[in-house]
Amino acid sequence: MRHYEDEGLIVPGRFSNGFRDYCQSTIDRVLVIRSLLESGLPVRLIREALPSLTDGSDGCTDVVDAEFLHEVQSHRDRLAARIAILSDQQAALDAYLREARRAGL
């Protein structure tokens, strides 16, 4: 939770003794953040989009900024390109291993 606070993703309340107060809305926000992080989105995008994603009563709204969607699509496309490269590298290694086994190495 402190990491999310350090990244500017949450702002917990404070008790009179200075301890952090993680109310239910902050916990709900953290759940949204974790979901987005697990999807591979960078913190920069999450920070930009978070206000519109957590303003609804159920933790998410139907209206998402078009620019955010464009950024998500771009991130997804870059990820797909990286996956394709890794898949090609994996296939090359598989072929090398098959040949090495056939040659008795």
Side-chain angles (χ1 to χ4, degrees), residues 13 22 29-30 32 36 40 48 50 55 62 66 68 94:
Y22 297 109
R29 187 176 177 108
V30 167
V32 172
L36 293 170
E48 291 172 10
L50 202 54
D55 285 345
D62 292 335
F68 174 71
D94 289 344

Side-chain angles (χ1 to χ4, degrees), residues 46-103:
I46 295 170
R47 188 181 304 111
E48 291 172 10
L50 202 54
S52 65
L53 295 174
T54 58
D55 285 345
S57 60
D58 63 355
C60 190
T61 61
D62 292 335
V63 179
V64 180
D65 184 75
E67 184 176 335
F68 174 71
L69 291 178
H70 176 73
E71 292 263 7
V72 170
Q73 182 66 47
S74 295
H75 182 75
R76 185 229 171 266
D77 293 346
R78 287 189 303 276
L79 183 61
R82 287 175 40 207
I83 289 169
I85 290 168
L86 289 172
S87 293
D88 290 346
Q89 291 172 339
Q90 182 182 26
L93 289 172
D94 289 344
Y96 173 78
L97 290 171
R98 278 193 304 276
E99 289 301 316
R101 288 184 185 118
R102 278 192 214 127

Side-chain angles (χ1 to χ4, degrees), residues 33-55:
I33 293 166
R34 289 186 64 152
S35 174
L36 293 170
L37 286 170
E38 288 171 5
S39 298
L41 289 178
V43 171
R44 174 188 62 81
L45 282 180
I46 295 170
R47 188 181 304 111
E48 291 172 10
L50 202 54
S52 65
L53 295 174
T54 58
D55 285 345

